[in-house]
Amino acid sequence: MKKRETFSNRSAAIMAMAGSAIGLGNIWRFPYMVGENGGAAYIILYLCATVFLSLPIFLAESILGRRTQLGTYGAMQTLAPGTGWRNMGFLTLSSALIILSFYSVVGGWSCDYFLQSLALGFSHDRIEDIPLMFSRLASHPWQPIVCHTVFLLLTALIVAFGVKKGIERFSTITLPLLFILILIIIAYSLSLPGSFKGVTYLIKPDFSKMGPSTVVAAMGQSFFSLSLGVGTILTYSSHIDKKEHLLGSGLGTALADILFAILAGFAIMPAVFSAGIEPGSGPGLIFETLPYIFAQIGEHTPVLSAIIAILFFLAIVVAALTSSISLLETGVSYLVEEKGIRRWTAVLILFALTWVVGCLCSLSFGPLQDVHLFGCTIFDFCDKLTANFMMTLGGFLFTFFVGWKMSKADVRDELTSGGEDRLAVRCFGVLYFLIRYIAPLVIITIFITNLVL
Ligand code: TRP
């Protein structure tokens, strides 16, 4: 059998997993969720959710992937041969593809904005026009579809080159760039008049907005942001060398993800308040607010602001790509492992599928806006279905399997890299407790709350 490709070293694995984690979820979704759910109160919930819920699930997926060196289907087939557990392969494949479909619509908008920034579309003399640009783009019958296609093609191309030459190389080059870019934007954002109100909003919790739905939203966001419950982390972990420490990779990824989400909040919220826009203005936040700010800055420093706008939208495209490749890779590994299909063919098949669903999601902002599924547009339906149900179900099954179906000795062996990882050895009791009891219980609670809500 061909030897499985492994990431070059632990930092390469962390870079790839952090690349998967850091994406539109951090830059686009987190800030507007913070805006809608009471600022700092939501951030506190988010931190708790990451430590008590997401980290155990992350570790459970890592254990399954690294133990078997296979994707979800193969992992389950190896650890519980001939049982229904192998259907996890199909569950995760479908969730990953649905997420990728609507994700690449937003990725497409980002590509469009990047091109607009190159064409100096956010200059000060167009400031009046900017607030309308987003709805005009999103509701256009074909323009966002072209962008969605381009974005998905880029994703497919990177994945087709494989784990090391495609995914690892792309993530290790682009991630450091992202951090630098976000720091530059923060500096700008903070220098705007009235920006301190945004800072206050991010540090002062407003507990009045907190309720069961906020708690569930924070957990869902944490799930989404760490790419959990759909076998992505499992698949990536299957390429981690046996000697590497799983806990270190998990902590590294979770920290990078939290840090980036908070940085994105500080890049965006101060500017939002400065521009006098409602913090709870929803999914259009970064596509309406940021261009506006660039135009504002552009009154005094047109060249600099144009450059910043270009770099910023490039950063969003790149962040989205490092995540979308992980979603596609999840599906590709399934087709390659279960069906024995060649990598390039698998990429092509999944490209076609997600392209179609993505088009429907895209059209749901325009020609198909009156088509509703359970009271949501197609786009919202895909988002809610995966975030609230499919990912939670996947997360539950992964932790349940590791906590209750695998032997404790095996879990310990894998999590501590055969006893070599001292930190994991020391924390094993707590981690195992979180994986076995806390995470599944919390997930069931979320699941039921979602059903009731
Ligand atoms: N985590 C990514 C983000 O925050 C999105 C993502 C990538 C994802 N892979 C995933 C979400 C798997 C859920 C499951 O943007």
Side-chain angles (χ1 to χ4, degrees), residues 138-186:
S139 61
H140 196 276
W142 53 261
Q143 196 179 337
I145 292 192
V146 174
C147 303
H148 151 68
T149 312
V150 170
F151 182 82
L152 209 52
L153 271 176
L154 289 172
T155 305
L157 197 70
I158 301 169
V159 172
F161 276 102
V163 169
K164 209 165 190 158
K165 285 208 199 103
I167 295 173
E168 176 181 321
R169 195 189 283 169
F170 187 74
S171 311
T172 42
I173 294 173
T174 52
L175 221 56
L177 183 78
L178 278 179
F179 269 96
I180 297 172
L181 286 168
I182 203 84
L183 292 179
I184 298 174
I185 307 289
I186 290 179

Side-chain angles (χ1 to χ4, degrees), residues 30 41 71 94 132 149 180 192 250 305 347 435:
F30 184 78
S94 17
L132 302 170
T149 312
I180 297 172
L192 296 169
S305 94
V347 169
I435 294 177

Side-chain angles (χ1 to χ4, degrees), residues 7 127 155 166 189 240 275 326 365 435:
F7 289 118
I127 200 159
T155 305
S189 191
I240 296 182
S326 74
F365 287 90
I435 294 177

Side-chain angles (χ1 to χ4, degrees), residues 20-21 23-26 99 103 224-225 227-228 230 232 323 326-327 391:
S20 168
L24 296 168
N26 305 59
I99 297 172
Y103 201 84
F224 184 84
S225 195
S227 307
L228 298 172
V230 309
T232 297
S323 301
S326 74
L327 286 161
M391 288 165 61

Side-chain angles (χ1 to χ4, degrees), residues 330-346:
T330 308
V332 167
S333 79
Y334 173 85
L335 287 191
V336 172
E337 268 161 30
E338 201 210 1
K339 310 279 180 210
I341 297 175
R342 289 208 348 257
R343 188 171 188 88
W344 280 82
T345 319

Side-chain angles (χ1 to χ4, degrees), residues 105-394:
V105 171
V106 186
W109 297 339
S110 315
C111 290
D112 182 275
Y113 269 62
F114 172 59
L115 293 178
Q116 299 247 26
S117 66
L118 281 178
L120 305 181
F122 308 126
S123 56
H124 187 257
D125 48 346
R126 302 204 189 163
I127 200 159
E128 309 272 289
D129 208 30
I130 288 176
L132 302 170
M133 262 166 78
F134 175 66
S135 56
R136 221 183 281 148
L137 167 69
S139 61
H140 196 276
W142 53 261
Q143 196 179 337
I145 292 192
V146 174
C147 303
H148 151 68
T149 312
V150 170
F151 182 82
L152 209 52
L153 271 176
L154 289 172
T155 305
L157 197 70
I158 301 169
V159 172
F161 276 102
V163 169
K164 209 165 190 158
K165 285 208 199 103
I167 295 173
E168 176 181 321
R169 195 189 283 169
F170 187 74
S171 311
T172 42
I173 294 173
T174 52
L175 221 56
L177 183 78
L178 278 179
F179 269 96
I180 297 172
L181 286 168
I182 203 84
L183 292 179
I184 298 174
I185 307 289
I186 290 179
Y188 260 95
S189 191
L190 291 179
S191 71
L192 296 169
S195 62
F196 69 94
K197 280 195 227 122
V199 178
T200 320
Y201 187 75
L202 286 168
I203 4 191
K204 219 172 90 201
D206 172 7
F207 289 104
S208 69
K209 290 229 176 81
M210 242 181 185
S213 63
T214 329
V215 176
V216 172
M219 289 176 177
Q221 169 66 18
S222 177
F223 252 85
F224 184 84
S225 195
L226 271 177
S227 307
L228 298 172
V230 309
T232 297
I233 296 305
L234 190 158
T235 308
Y236 271 17
S237 302
S238 72
H239 299 281
I240 296 182
D241 192 90
K242 280 288 182 194
K243 290 194 297 291
E244 299 297 349
H245 297 172
L246 291 182
L247 181 58
S249 315
L251 287 173
T253 308
L255 274 179
D257 184 60
I258 291 178
L259 180 67
F260 207 87
I262 292 179
L263 287 180
F266 275 97
I268 292 165
M269 277 306 157
V272 169
F273 277 84
S274 155
I277 297 173
E278 258 299 291
S281 58
L285 192 57
I286 66 161
F287 295 106
E288 290 162 349
T289 311
L290 290 175
Y292 190 85
I293 294 155
F294 292 134
Q296 238 177 20
I297 300 164
E299 190 179 1
H300 305 294
T301 51
V303 179
L304 197 57
S305 94
I307 295 175
I308 301 270
I310 293 169
L311 294 181
F312 185 76
F313 285 106
L314 176 67
I316 295 191
V317 172
V318 166
L321 274 174
T322 54
S323 301
S324 63
I325 54 180
S326 74
L327 286 161
L328 185 58
E329 174 63 25
T330 308
V332 167
S333 79
Y334 173 85
L335 287 191
V336 172
E337 268 161 30
E338 201 210 1
K339 310 279 180 210
I341 297 175
R342 289 208 348 257
R343 188 171 188 88
W344 280 82
T345 319
V347 169
L348 211 67
I349 296 173
L350 298 182
F351 169 84
L353 269 175
T354 33
W355 185 79
V356 174
V357 183
C359 287
L360 294 176
C361 289
S362 180
L363 291 171
S364 75
F365 287 90
L368 297 184
Q369 61 185 343
D370 294 325
V371 177
H372 286 101
L373 298 165
F374 298 95
C376 308
T377 62
I378 302 175
F379 184 98
D380 285 343
F381 177 75
C382 290
D383 179 7
K384 295 224 159 70
L385 175 71
T386 48
N388 295 348
F389 296 103
M390 295 175 86
M391 288 165 61
T392 29
L393 179 62

